[in-house]
Amino acid sequence: MIRTFIAIEIPDSVKRALQSFQQKIQGLPAQITWVKPQNIHLTLRFLGDTQETVLPKLKTLLEDKCKGLSPLKLELGEFGVFESIQNPRVLWVGLTGNLGPLEKFARQIELGVRELRFPKESKPFNAHLTLGRVRRVPDRRHMAEALEQAIALWAGTRSAKPFSLERVHLIQSELSASGPAYTPLWTQDFSAES
């Protein structure tokens, strides 16, 4: 049994922009586990514990769903917070642009993995890139004020330069005390030819 998820890698230039923003907001008044820039990706579907015998079926699923899919043109969107500014859990940057094909692709992946007997995803797909996970907030009012400032900072400095997403990965995630390690098990390019 291994731990896996399906994700789209983002360009290095986008990772550098997000890393720069992470550095600017390192002083947020909370205990935050920051995602290493090399690990920032667009998760389509977290699968969790996965029988190794299912891997070939997941490979076939990705091959099938990538047929006829052109590269996705997107831009970085707003900086936001799950659950709320008053009770932050995850810090993220959203994606904008041509989201329709991306959301359709995510729905197809969801239906495909359910046919492989993975449980139904409990939350709707939300195109975002996780920057950090909030572990503890000593002063919620102070944190909320700082987050409002961070949102304004991002809005004033973010790059609106479009970028292209061109392939999807099945990734193995291994957890350790030093953080997760991600290993691509399979990569499938989008193929406009169907």
Side-chain angles (χ1 to χ4, degrees):
M1 189 85 76
I2 60 175
R3 191 170 184 260
T4 65
F5 61 95
I6 297 171
I8 298 176
E9 189 73 26
I10 60 172
D12 288 343
S13 60
V14 176
K15 290 181 181 180
R16 286 193 295 274
L18 295 173
Q19 180 182 27
S20 174
F21 183 60
Q22 282 179 320
Q23 291 167 345
K24 289 176 184 172
I25 60 173
Q26 290 284 321
L28 285 172
Q31 181 183 353
I32 299 170
T33 301
W34 296 99
V35 177
K36 294 176 182 174
Q38 67 269 24
N39 285 345
I40 296 175
H41 56 263
L42 171 60
T43 301
L44 288 177
R45 181 60 152 84
F46 179 74
L47 299 172
D49 290 338
T50 305
Q51 295 281 352
E52 294 183 51
T53 55
V54 177
L55 296 179
K57 294 177 181 175
L58 288 168
K59 177 183 171 188
T60 300
L61 170 70
L62 296 183
E63 287 172 345
D64 289 346
K65 301 305 179 194
C66 286
K67 288 178 184 170
L69 188 62
S70 298
L72 304 167
K73 301 289 184 192
L74 299 172
E75 297 175 16
L76 292 175
E78 65 182 9
F79 171 62
V81 178
F82 296 139
E83 176 176 307
S84 69
I85 285 182
Q86 289 72 33
N87 188 27
R89 298 286 185 208
V90 176
L91 310 179
W92 50 265
V93 167
L95 296 174
T96 64
N98 191 10
L99 289 177
L102 173 63
E103 292 167 348
K104 180 180 177 185
F105 183 55
R107 281 194 303 274
Q108 290 174 339
I109 295 293
E110 171 64 22
L111 292 173
V113 299
R114 281 163 53 186
E115 287 178 5
L116 297 177
R117 301 186 183 275
F118 285 91
K120 181 180 179 181
E121 179 60 74
S122 60
K123 300 174 193 166
F125 175 71
N126 182 325
H128 71 279
L129 306 169
T130 299
L131 300 184
R133 293 176 176 80
V134 180
R135 302 301 181 197
R136 196 173 76 82
V137 181
D139 181 338
R140 294 192 181 278
R141 189 172 60 81
H142 187 203
M143 179 62 169
E145 291 169 359
L147 284 172
E148 293 283 3
Q149 292 171 4
I151 290 169
L153 173 66
W154 175 253
T157 60
R158 77 177 172 93
S159 166
K161 194 180 294 184
F163 54 89
S164 180
L165 303 179
E166 301 176 352
R167 57 193 56 88
V168 66
H169 309 273
L170 175 64
I171 297 175
Q172 180 178 358
S173 171
E174 296 174 277
L175 302 176
S176 71
S178 61
Y182 300 145
T183 305
L185 299 175
W186 174 254
T187 298
Q188 179 64 46
D189 289 343
F190 298 158
S191 169
E193 304 87 39
S194 57

